[in-house]
Amino acid sequence: MARANRIFSLAALSALALLVVSCITTDPSLGASYIPANQDISIRTVDIDLPVGQKYADSLQTTVSSRVAVGSLTTATYGTVNVGTALTITPATDSIVWGTDPIFKDMYISLTASSNQILDKDQAAIPQNIYVHQLKVELDSTYVYSNSVSLADCKPELAVQGSMIYTGGDTLVLHFTKEFALPLFDMDRETLDSTELFASKFYGIYLHTDPVEPGTEGGRLNIFDAGSSQVTFTFSSINDAGRRRDTTVYFNLGTYNAVMSIEKERMFAESDDASGMIRYEGLTGLKPHIDAKVLRQRLDDWMAANDIDPDALMVCRATLEFPFEYTGSSNQFDTWPANLYPCRRLRGSTYTVYNPISERYTTAYDHGEINRSLFYFRSDAAIYLQSLIREKKEEVDENYDIWMIPTIEYTTSSSTSTSDYYDYYNYYASMYGYGYGGYGYGYGGYNPYGYGYGYGYGYPYGYGSNSSSGTTYYYVDSQNYWMCEINGTAAARHPVLRLTYTVLK
């Protein structure tokens, strides 16, 4: 009989949950007198103060094969951030033949501009010196983080013929030195035919620029499209007919590996309670952070005070709301992110991955978009909250912590298969239960958790929404430098968890 009652309750709960998110005004008590006491599924809502602190995002993954970022930005509030990119140079084909007596003529890199980020529109065309050094280390698969590469990993001399003054045009062309190019002639056929072997013998390059001048603000972050860029190598050699002829071959940029390097000045201390103001700063900067252990304790205290059995509590909806104030300035939101979304930092034995919680893939949910009318960021987190409540208290660790970070969207082509930053993310995310078969809604009948959890560890390529044009994935934004200030925990309009729930009888 208990089993039947619970199945009935779940069916009714599903219907009522739809009404909760509907625009139609309903009376949840209507008809309650006709429902037996042991089948009462009244829907209630409670606001619980969120424990929000501030932490810097360490171990931030910045490996990406289609993007080269170089620049420096400075603000009086957040200080200076310097960005460079290390990337491999590998043969574009497996048919390079040097011939007899090869003689170097030219080797240059052509970078196609994609976009840029500036904090002051008057500095859109400021001159910047772009430097290129050859790495002293192999850029293998262990180089994936924002602090993986620095100038200390580079040869001191420039790999190109002087620095290039760049003002943000369409294309940046840099000519390599003869000393940089000559070792290519020592590569045998086997090495030239293997990307992995080539990358282990001919190390990549690191691009960076000067920091913004001390005492000034502004700067520019330049983004180049590595997928539309290439390295051109021209040489002459004697062919089988005994004639010297010119030959041009091409090399790819970053297809084997590429990783952004970020140096961030820390202007604020980390804190467990951001009572006055909560700051978000992009890249490796300061982030709103929710300690899962503290949040779990608040939930436990609330359930104990209201005599609620945690095993009977069913989350219908849970939203994380982060209010902010409008200053009246027309340019207040110029540097603000389009969204702030709950993400988890999952530490494994080999890699650390920041990933959005799985609600990001349900279109009916709020996804942290900025609301400029009601002045808040709001995200749905019902699945996360239910799993946090169900987890054994001693098992709640820092992997459950929430980091509020913007998300970006990436759609794979239905006809191509890439092996880059996104595949890296998908693979390691699935190792932590973020694939198909992770926490997902399903009404497959009774189980102790009500929602058909399943606790699978995922399909090897994460989870996404499929369409005829490909698969869409969402990732933390480790590419853009946004900044914003939202209300602290002591403000009148402070961050809250708005929990809509029922208690199964």
Side-chain angles (χ1 to χ4, degrees):
M1 184 65 183
R3 173 184 171 93
N5 289 339
R6 291 231 176 177
I7 294 176
F8 173 82
S9 298
L10 288 171
L13 173 60
S14 302
L16 286 175
L18 294 174
L19 292 177
V20 170
V21 297
S22 171
C23 297
I24 301 173
T25 301
T26 62
D27 180 0
S29 65
L30 189 64
S33 59
Y34 298 102
I35 300 177
N38 65 348
Q39 296 176 4
D40 180 13
I41 51 172
S42 300
I43 303 296
R44 301 176 178 87
T45 298
V46 63
D47 284 355
I48 298 174
D49 293 345
L50 281 174
V52 186
Q54 298 266 242
K55 281 195 175 184
Y56 288 94
D58 64 345
S59 302
L60 184 68
Q61 314 85 359
T62 55
T63 177
V64 58
S65 66
S66 60
R67 188 175 183 272
V68 180
V70 183
S72 180
L73 296 167
T74 296
T75 66
T77 302
Y78 292 99
T80 299
V81 58
N82 299 315
V83 178
T85 299
L87 61 163
T88 54
I89 294 177
T90 53
T93 66
D94 59 1
S95 59
I96 296 177
V97 178
W98 297 127
T100 303
D101 189 24
I103 297 176
F104 170 76
K105 300 193 74 171
D106 192 16
M107 182 179 185
Y108 63 90
I109 180 173
S110 178
L111 290 169
T112 304
S114 175
S115 62
N116 61 46
Q117 186 171 3
I118 54 175
L119 305 177
D120 183 345
K121 63 181 180 181
D122 293 333
Q123 298 201 8
I126 60 170
Q128 292 175 312
N129 289 314
I130 306 296
Y131 304 97
V132 182
H133 294 265
Q134 186 172 25
L135 294 170
K136 297 186 296 183
V137 295
E138 178 188 352
L139 201 63
D140 60 24
S141 60
T142 64
Y143 289 80
V144 297
Y145 301 118
S146 59
N147 59 354
S148 290
V149 178
S150 70
L151 274 176
D153 301 305
C154 303
K155 294 181 177 180
E157 65 274 11
L158 290 175
V160 295
Q161 300 172 21
S163 63
M164 170 62 70
I165 298 178
Y166 182 63
T167 57
D170 292 335
T171 304
L172 173 64
V173 178
L174 297 163
H175 291 265
F176 288 100
T177 64
K178 184 178 181 179
E179 292 73 20
F180 175 83
L182 283 179
L184 289 170
F185 290 140
D186 298 329
M187 302 295 175
D188 56 26
R189 188 61 178 269
E190 181 185 5
T191 302
L192 291 170
D193 288 349
S194 169
T195 298
E196 184 176 2
L197 187 58
F198 185 92
S200 70
K201 293 185 177 182
F202 188 81
Y203 298 154
I205 56 176
Y206 177 63
L207 291 84
H208 68 103
T209 188
D210 294 319
V212 175
E213 210 173 304
T216 63
E217 296 186 55
R220 185 179 65 242
L221 179 59
N222 310 286
I223 309 300
F224 301 97
D225 181 5
S228 301
S229 305
Q230 64 184 3
V231 172
T232 303
F233 184 91
T234 304
F235 65 98
S236 70
S237 64
I238 298 174
N239 61 15
D240 293 340
R243 296 179 180 177
R244 181 166 291 278
R245 83 286 194 245
D246 288 345
T247 303
T248 299
V249 295
Y250 300 96
F251 294 82
N252 292 325
L253 287 168
T255 54
Y256 185 68
N257 195 13
V259 59
M260 282 175 54
S261 173
I262 303 171
E263 296 178 355
K264 179 68 192 73
E265 185 178 8
R266 294 192 173 189
M267 303 293 286
F268 302 95
E270 295 183 333
S271 65
D272 294 330
D273 182 22
S275 58
M277 178 185 294
I278 300 171
R279 301 179 185 274
Y280 170 81
E281 186 186 11
L283 303 179
T284 56
L286 206 61
K287 305 286 190 290
H289 172 263
I290 299 173
D291 188 314
K293 290 183 178 179
V294 178
L295 178 57
R296 170 60 183 270
Q297 188 60 56
R298 291 195 180 183
L299 290 166
D300 287 348
D301 292 344
W302 165 73
M303 287 186 287
N306 290 273
D307 196 24
I308 295 175
D309 179 2
D311 291 334
L313 178 70
M314 299 306 305
V315 176
C316 303
R317 190 174 188 186
T319 57
L320 308 182
E321 192 170 297
F322 289 82
F324 57 83
E325 304 305 324
Y326 178 53
T327 64
S329 173
S330 60
N331 61 357
Q332 175 181 348
F333 304 114
D334 288 354
T335 63
W336 286 46
N339 70 81
L340 279 179
Y341 194 74
C343 302
R344 293 169 65 183
R345 184 182 65 185
L346 305 169
R347 291 191 185 276
S349 58
T350 304
Y351 291 97
T352 298
V353 177
Y354 287 80
N355 235 33
I357 61 174
S358 58
E359 284 87 332
R360 186 63 185 84
Y361 287 84
T362 304
T363 57
Y365 287 157
D366 285 327
H367 298 138
E369 291 85 356
I370 186 172
N371 189 315
R372 301 186 185 184
S373 300
L374 301 176
F375 309 124
Y376 58 65
F377 295 94
R378 187 167 68 184
S379 308
D380 274 294
I383 303 172
Y384 165 80
L385 256 296
Q386 187 74 75
S387 67
L388 180 64
I389 292 170
R390 295 296 190 211
E391 185 62 87
K392 295 179 180 179
K393 193 169 184 177
E394 61 272 17
E395 297 294 330
V396 175
D397 58 15
E398 65 171 10
N399 284 328
Y400 271 92
D401 287 2
I402 288 294
W403 300 71
M404 299 302 296
I405 306 175
T407 59
I408 54 176
E409 177 181 311
Y410 177 77
T411 300
T412 61
S413 170
S414 60
S415 60
T416 61
S417 176
T418 60
S419 178
D420 60 9
Y421 173 78
Y422 303 101
D423 284 336
Y424 158 83
Y425 239 112
N426 297 338
Y427 177 77
Y428 288 106
S430 70
M431 297 300 99
Y432 294 95
Y434 274 81
Y436 298 110
Y439 302 123
Y441 282 106
Y443 301 102
Y446 166 75
N447 68 60
Y449 298 98
Y451 285 92
Y453 275 81
Y455 284 93
Y457 275 89
Y459 186 77
Y461 291 98
Y463 55 162
S465 55
N466 292 303
S467 68
S468 58
S469 59
T471 303
T472 299
Y473 299 99
Y474 297 93
Y475 307 92
V476 299
D477 185 354
S478 61
Q479 305 176 4
N480 297 295
Y481 187 64
W482 305 117
M483 299 164 288
C484 70
E485 294 79 34
I486 53 187
N487 294 352
T489 59
R493 297 176 62 235
H494 54 270
V496 297
L497 161 64
R498 181 155 295 126
L499 185 65
T500 303
Y501 68 97
T502 189
V503 179
L504 298 181
K505 303 298 185 180

